[in-house]
Amino acid sequence: VCNSVVVIGGNGSGKRKLGAWIEQQDLSVTHRIAAQRSLVFDPNADLMAYDKAENIVISGYYEKRDDRNHKWDWNRRNTTKLINDFDASLAAIVAKKNDQLDEFNEKYKKAEKEGLDRPASPWTQIDELRDIWEKIFPQRKLLFKSSRFYAVNPGALEDEKYSALEMSDGERGVLYLASQILSLDHGRIIIVDEPETHLHGSIMNNLWTALEAARPDCQFVYITHDINFAARHTNSDKYWIKTFDGKFWDYEKIEDNDLPQDLLLEILGSRQNVLFVEGTKDSLDTRLYSLLFPNVNVIPCGSCKTVVEHTKAFSNCSALAPWCKVKGLVDRDYRSEYEINKNQEN
């Protein structure tokens, strides 16, 4: 079952404002991860009660509140503020783990006292966090020792470990996002502004797929301008934001799932008429036609057969019809008059 939605749009289309608007519709069930997120944190995970740590993650307050005023500066910077809640996310994960171990310990003591079968050791939130992090970085191991996180190469001695503060941006980014999402206590609508931030393209989709699988109780809404992320997140419903007038968004669901998603999204994002041509991005054909048609999005397709196929398919695409015209250009290449006329008709 799909539990994610991708919203894609170009610069100025009001993407972040849409994310903020979605969050405000029901603060009891929404949680928004800001595009501007700090990866700075205290190497010693704070020890605090789980509910306090989660409250900081959700609203910025220690106590439970039904608003986000403090977090977003009373809506003055609800799309631009740099959020610094890494410490709270890690504290919530540690608190959850401690609560799980305390509960296990009580059950174990009771079973031991009453002569019953001992309960199996629990799969804690730290175990879940470690499992996801190591799936994304299989060449590393994540350690949690004395309230501190470390990374180490597999097979290396433990004293060769390095602190989480010395991790790369990508490693800390995964640690932050995984701890943030795993720290939430119950199913929420999680709005993620720019899910690609701090993440390399090769790990981006793997991370979010793993987090969605870990939190099937949550609905993920990704707000992005990254065409590759949108195209590769194949199990998501996708919406394209066309325009925003300051109050209302003009958007459309992308239904043409039989078309190449990356190509469709590239065309939608460019908002230009399209000319499919033979060759590659570096070929003479592409460079020449880009100079001859400077106001057209020239897209190389490789073979002449692919040019014809793409031109037919995208010319009939309902999502593109109001916004751009699609044409194809191929060489004559010893074609008969019949073939030339058929291609012109198409």
Side-chain angles (χ1 to χ4, degrees):
V1 177
C2 174
N3 63 329
S4 64
V5 173
V6 176
V7 178
I8 187 166
N11 292 331
S13 60
K15 299 186 302 298
R16 288 188 189 175
K17 288 184 172 61
L18 178 61
W21 180 86
I22 294 172
E23 179 189 34
Q24 291 295 322
Q25 299 315 295
D26 190 345
L27 295 174
S28 67
V29 298
T30 57
H31 174 59
R32 180 160 60 98
I33 300 177
Q36 307 293 334
R37 40 190 184 261
S38 172
L39 296 185
V40 177
F41 61 97
D42 189 322
N44 297 307
D46 290 338
L47 296 179
M48 66 174 76
Y50 169 72
D51 58 345
K52 290 186 180 297
E54 189 196 30
N55 289 339
I56 296 173
V57 170
I58 295 295
S59 65
Y61 297 103
Y62 277 97
E63 69 276 11
K64 187 175 180 60
R65 296 283 291 268
D66 294 328
D67 64 71
R68 305 282 194 277
N69 292 336
H70 177 68
K71 185 173 185 178
W72 303 117
D73 286 352
W74 283 260
N75 291 332
R76 290 193 300 267
R77 293 194 293 161
N78 59 5
T79 60
T80 60
K81 184 178 178 180
L82 178 67
I83 297 298
N84 190 352
D85 57 0
F86 207 152
D87 289 334
S89 299
L90 294 178
I93 286 288
V94 173
K96 260 196 168 185
K97 184 266 298 184
N98 290 340
D99 289 347
Q100 289 169 313
L101 291 181
D102 286 344
E103 182 181 357
F104 164 74
N105 191 39
E106 291 300 318
K107 289 181 179 179
Y108 192 94
K109 287 180 177 179
K110 181 179 180 181
E112 190 175 45
K113 182 178 180 180
E114 298 177 0
L116 303 175
D117 291 337
R118 309 309 195 258
S121 58
W123 179 258
T124 71
Q125 291 301 97
I126 295 290
D127 294 322
E128 187 75 52
L129 175 63
R130 181 187 294 116
D131 184 62
I132 290 174
W133 195 90
E134 292 178 358
K135 282 179 181 175
I136 305 304
F137 302 109
Q139 75 281 14
R140 300 281 189 274
K141 294 294 182 183
L142 185 66
L143 305 178
F144 181 69
K145 300 284 186 180
S146 301
S147 296
R148 293 184 178 185
F149 286 94
Y150 301 91
V152 65
N153 294 323
L157 298 176
E158 188 175 313
D159 59 6
E160 297 176 8
K161 64 184 181 295
Y162 57 92
S163 167
L165 288 177
E166 300 176 79
M167 291 179 177
S168 68
D169 281 355
E171 290 172 330
R172 280 182 287 134
V174 171
L175 184 63
Y176 170 80
L177 292 167
S179 62
Q180 177 98 170
I181 287 166
L182 294 175
S183 70
L184 302 176
D185 192 39
H186 58 84
R188 287 182 176 271
I189 298 172
I190 303 174
I191 304 138
V192 187
D193 281 343
E194 298 187 14
E196 66 277 5
T197 298
H198 300 303
L199 301 177
H200 190 275
S202 62
I203 66 173
M204 184 169 51
N205 281 89
N206 291 338
L207 171 63
W208 290 112
T209 299
L211 290 174
E212 288 173 27
R215 296 305 306 262
D217 57 321
C218 294
Q219 176 74 36
F220 291 77
V221 179
Y222 302 107
I223 310 290
T224 184
H225 62 264
D226 191 298
I227 290 170
N228 290 325
F229 173 81
R232 293 173 185 172
H233 221 66
T234 53
N235 292 327
S236 298
D237 292 330
K238 298 181 179 71
Y239 291 85
W240 170 44
I241 302 179
K242 303 174 185 177
T243 58
F244 175 58
D245 64 6
K247 290 185 177 180
F248 302 102
W249 291 267
D250 183 10
Y251 65 92
E252 181 174 331
K253 187 176 182 181
I254 300 175
E255 298 281 9
D256 298 87
N257 293 319
D258 55 328
L259 298 174
Q261 286 281 299
D262 54 346
L263 190 53
L264 175 59
L265 292 166
E266 178 182 346
I267 294 170
L268 287 170
S270 71
R271 304 188 188 187
Q272 290 180 305
N273 291 332
V274 173
L275 179 65
F276 290 122
V277 299
E278 299 174 75
T280 64
K281 288 187 176 181
D282 298 322
S283 67
L284 180 61
D285 281 7
T286 304
R287 295 198 298 269
L288 176 61
Y289 293 133
S290 296
L291 290 172
L292 292 174
F293 305 103
N295 298 319
V296 173
N297 187 13
V298 177
I299 299 178
C301 300
S303 69
C304 61
K305 180 182 178 182
T306 306
V307 171
V308 173
E309 290 174 348
H310 279 1
T311 304
K312 288 180 180 178
F314 284 91
S315 294
N316 296 319
C317 175
S318 59
L320 298 179
W323 295 93
C324 67
K325 295 179 180 178
V326 177
K327 300 292 183 182
L329 183 60
V330 295
D331 298 335
R332 292 178 67 96
D333 288 339
Y334 309 106
R335 299 177 194 277
S336 67
E337 288 298 321
Y338 174 77
E339 290 176 302
I340 293 171
N341 290 334
K342 287 297 291 182
N343 282 335
Q344 287 176 336
E345 290 174 8
N346 292 325

